[in-house]
Amino acid sequence: MITGACIRRDGELDRLSELPECILHHILSFLTLMQVKQVCVLSKTWIQVSTTHPILKFNGNFFDGLWDKYKVWKLINQFNIADQIIKTLCKKRLSIHEIELDVYVMSYYSWSSSNYFDQWVQRALDCNVKVLTLSFGCGHEYTLPRCVLLAKYVVALTLKRCKFPPVSRDFKTTLSSLKKLTFQSVKVTGLLPQNLFTNVEYLTLLNCHGITMVNISGPAKLKKLDLSMNPDLKCVHIEALSLTEASFGYHEALEVFDIRHCKNLKRISMGLTKNIIVTKWLDEVLSFYHALETLHLCCCFPKNAKISSTSLKTLEIHFDFDLAALELDTPKLSEFSYFGRLVDFSSKAPALTSSSVTFVSSLRVGETAKESEYLKEMNFLSQLNGCDKVKVTSYSGEKLFIFPRNIRERMISPLHNVKNLEICTEGKVELDEELIDSLFWISPHPEIRLLRKCKDLLHGYCNYTFKFYKEKTSYEEESSTNTVDQLVSFSKVYRR
């Protein structure tokens, strides 16, 4: 017999209860807080483990269905349960690894709930909490206690839909362990503390009101940055050699944008809306990033845009009405994605292997494109002739792919070196001889061509797949129906 071992009623050894406490805590981390309390019935070991569980998540699962104003007493009961759990941990002087407070609605209960929140936050800090998440609802009703800014042990701090406490210009935080900071829909009055971002490695500011400037310089440790949809942001100045990934999106008030000193950036996603800032950045700053490998642009381009980079490997460009001409000088580029109107396009990308192009045309249903549009499309596609795989999508039907016969007779095929061509369209597909001949003219390779139609139905989607083989003269048809997802797909294979 093993001394101290847990024995089940049937006489068998309870090996699960014999596991170390840290492993049992890890098992409980996959359960909701209410489920953690239910395991107390298993054995005395589980009672001890559940009462010392260092991860507390008072979120939607804990308060589920109790935000109706007519269930106020049930909600208060849940508040009391949560309060007792935190008090017990503090009384036993146990450390809390993570606490999440996600309160969807405060307006009905602001008279009492804010007192709970202040006490819980203070007790969590007294227990040296490492991961702190505070999320509220109904605007910006709750003001963050200033004690959070003095927490020495917090490693990850997430704030959602609350007010940042007003602080003086000389106020300094003591968040010496903070590595990850997330603000989402946080209202800031005045300036943020100067040293708030000093030790942060992962920073996210999303839809925050009142933040007018983000200035990170000196011995910064920042590795990943996400600034998106902050309506009052006017100035971004970052000097961080450690920064490798950055995302900037949709700041209407932005006037100063300086990240040229972040020379080790490997991935940039940009959604800026000011043409002047984007033009200056493309012309003067992009060449500074010798380690840049991935670039995603969804912004206001100048009329004539040139993207030049000696290190870039992946490039994504999304829709912009002002862009008329695009030039690429990217010798290491291997993946290219474009979503927008037909533009004058030139490319110096000898390493390009895969491309995805989506043309957004102004053509109406049944309308035929002008010859100049076909020539512009042919020139665009010919710049992708060195790829192994090309995907072309049109939202205006298959008309964009039926090149006039006079163009096919006097022009060389734009994708004659491409072995894998995929053509996608959402318009009406008429599989006539003119369309099939045009597809084989675009890329006269004997391998498979694919034309697909996707149509939004009342209860799902309908996909039509047509496969073309150039050399053989047989015909096959396959069909399958998925009743669970209400997805119907048809496959037709043509061999010529």
Side-chain angles (χ1 to χ4, degrees):
M1 178 180 290
I2 301 177
T3 305
C6 296
I7 306 298
R8 298 193 321 220
R9 292 182 179 180
D10 56 5
E12 296 292 331
L13 182 64
D14 183 4
R15 298 187 182 276
L16 184 60
S17 299
E18 287 294 296
L19 292 173
E21 188 178 68
C22 61
I23 295 179
L24 296 178
H25 281 159
H26 180 69
I27 295 173
L28 293 182
S29 67
F30 296 97
L31 306 178
T32 66
L33 196 58
M34 297 307 294
Q35 290 172 335
V36 169
K37 295 305 167 186
Q38 291 172 357
V39 302
C40 294
V41 301
L42 298 179
S43 67
K44 292 182 179 180
T45 300
W46 285 101
I47 295 176
Q48 175 65 21
V49 171
S50 63
T51 55
T52 60
H53 185 45
I55 298 178
L56 305 177
K57 294 187 177 182
F58 305 111
N59 51 27
N61 292 321
F62 186 80
F63 295 112
D64 186 30
L66 300 180
W67 296 121
D68 190 326
K69 61 182 179 181
Y70 300 107
K71 298 180 180 179
V72 60
W73 298 113
K74 292 183 178 180
L75 179 67
I76 292 176
N77 181 58
Q78 289 296 91
F79 273 23
N80 290 331
I81 293 175
D83 188 57
Q84 188 60 41
I85 292 173
I86 297 177
K87 281 182 179 179
T88 301
L89 290 174
C90 290
K91 186 176 181 180
K92 295 182 178 180
R93 295 183 179 181
L94 298 173
S95 296
I96 298 178
H97 175 74
E98 178 181 356
I99 183 168
E100 177 185 350
L101 176 59
D102 188 351
V103 184
Y104 180 67
V105 175
M106 283 188 60
S107 58
Y108 296 138
Y109 318 107
S110 57
W111 51 270
S112 61
S113 56
S114 57
N115 293 329
Y116 277 110
F117 305 150
D118 289 344
Q119 294 174 12
W120 293 350
V121 170
Q122 183 60 61
R123 287 168 181 162
L125 297 179
D126 292 340
C127 292
N128 301 331
V129 64
K130 302 294 189 302
V131 180
L132 179 60
T133 300
L134 302 175
S135 177
F136 304 93
C138 285
H140 309 282
E141 300 292 336
Y142 181 70
T143 300
L144 185 73
R146 188 174 296 187
C147 59
V148 175
L149 304 180
L150 304 175
K152 297 181 180 180
Y153 300 100
V154 173
V155 176
L157 175 62
T158 300
L159 304 177
K160 298 180 180 179
R161 297 179 295 277
C162 63
K163 289 182 180 180
F164 193 84
V167 296
S168 63
R169 183 178 296 272
D170 299 329
F171 178 82
K172 292 186 178 181
T173 68
T174 57
L175 296 166
S176 55
S177 301
L178 188 62
K179 302 299 180 184
K180 184 176 180 179
L181 177 62
T182 301
F183 284 7
Q184 181 176 334
S185 299
V186 174
K187 186 176 181 180
V188 178
T189 303
L191 297 175
L192 293 172
Q194 295 180 359
N195 67 334
L196 180 61
F197 307 130
T198 301
N199 297 311
V200 175
E201 297 180 2
Y202 304 92
L203 174 62
T204 299
L205 302 179
L206 175 61
N207 193 29
C208 295
H209 293 256
I211 297 179
T212 58
M213 180 176 63
V214 175
N215 185 2
I216 302 177
S217 58
K221 300 178 182 180
L222 192 62
K223 295 180 180 179
K224 184 177 180 180
L225 173 66
D226 186 0
L227 303 179
S228 298
M229 296 183 291
N230 300 292
D232 302 318
L233 186 61
K234 296 181 179 180
C235 176
V236 174
H237 177 80
I238 301 173
E239 298 181 15
L241 292 176
S242 56
L243 186 63
T244 59
E245 185 174 345
S247 177
F248 309 93
Y250 307 104
H251 300 102
E252 294 288 345
L254 190 63
E255 298 175 355
V256 178
F257 181 72
D258 185 6
I259 59 170
R260 70 181 66 196
H261 298 289
C262 306
K263 297 182 179 180
N264 293 318
L265 276 168
K266 293 184 178 181
R267 181 183 179 89
I268 298 177
S269 179
M270 186 174 295
L272 300 182
T273 56
K274 292 223 174 173
N275 192 297
I276 297 176
I277 294 177
V278 176
T279 302
K280 184 177 180 181
W281 188 81
L282 289 176
D283 294 343
E284 302 177 10
V285 182
L286 184 59
S287 59
F288 281 86
Y289 307 122
H290 300 294
L292 185 63
E293 295 181 354
T294 302
L295 179 61
H296 178 205
L297 298 176
C298 181
C299 50
C300 288
F301 288 93
K303 188 173 183 180
N304 299 311
K306 180 179 180 179
I307 298 176
S308 178
S309 173
T310 58
S311 59
L312 195 63
K313 296 181 180 180
T314 302
L315 174 62
E316 297 181 17
I317 297 178
H318 278 234
F319 194 83
D320 181 72
F321 282 106
D322 296 327
L323 185 64
L326 176 64
E327 180 182 354
L328 302 183
D329 185 6
T330 50
K332 293 186 179 180
L333 187 67
S334 59
E335 296 183 14
F336 174 62
S337 177
Y338 176 82
F339 184 100
R341 297 189 307 172
L342 279 170
V343 297
D344 294 327
F345 178 57
S346 61
S347 172
K348 296 179 182 178
L352 194 61
T353 59
S354 177
S355 297
S356 177
V357 179
T358 300
F359 293 128
V360 180
S361 176
S362 58
L363 290 177
R364 297 178 180 177
V365 177
E367 186 178 358
T368 303
K370 298 180 181 179
E371 183 173 335
S372 59
E373 292 291 308
Y374 284 118
L375 292 176
K376 188 179 292 186
E377 179 190 2
M378 189 186 68
N379 174 70
F380 197 115
L381 295 178
S382 65
Q383 300 299 313
L384 311 176
N385 190 37
C387 298
D388 295 329
K389 181 179 181 180
V390 175
K391 178 180 178 180
V392 186
T393 303
S394 170
Y395 288 139
S396 57
E398 82 281 4
K399 295 293 184 181
L400 198 61
F401 304 117
I402 303 179
F403 284 80
R405 186 173 297 275
N406 63 335
I407 292 180
R408 284 182 275 160
E409 289 177 350
R410 73 175 191 266
M411 299 289 186
I412 189 172
S413 302
L415 298 175
H416 58 271
N417 288 328
V418 176
K419 296 182 178 180
N420 190 341
L421 174 63
E422 182 174 342
I423 302 289
C424 299
T425 177
E426 288 193 354
K428 185 179 179 180
V429 177
E430 297 292 344
L431 280 178
D432 53 20
E433 185 176 352
E434 194 74 12
L435 173 59
I436 297 174
D437 289 342
S438 184
L439 291 177
F440 282 112
W441 173 80
I442 294 174
S443 180
H445 198 277
E447 294 189 10
I448 296 176
R449 307 297 180 274
L450 177 64
L451 175 63
R452 181 169 57 201
K453 175 188 176 184
C454 301
K455 183 179 180 181
D456 192 0
L457 298 179
L458 182 61
H459 299 294
Y461 294 89
C462 184
N463 296 335
Y464 297 90
T465 302
F466 305 92
K467 296 182 180 180
F468 301 89
Y469 297 82
K470 187 174 182 181
E471 294 182 341
K472 298 183 180 180
T473 58
S474 60
Y475 167 83
E476 295 179 8
E477 180 175 348
E478 297 176 1
S479 63
S480 61
T481 303
N482 189 332
T483 56
V484 176
D485 297 329
Q486 295 179 332
L487 177 67
V488 183
S489 63
F490 303 93
S491 177
K492 294 184 179 180
V493 181
Y494 293 86
R495 290 186 173 91
R496 303 183 63 205

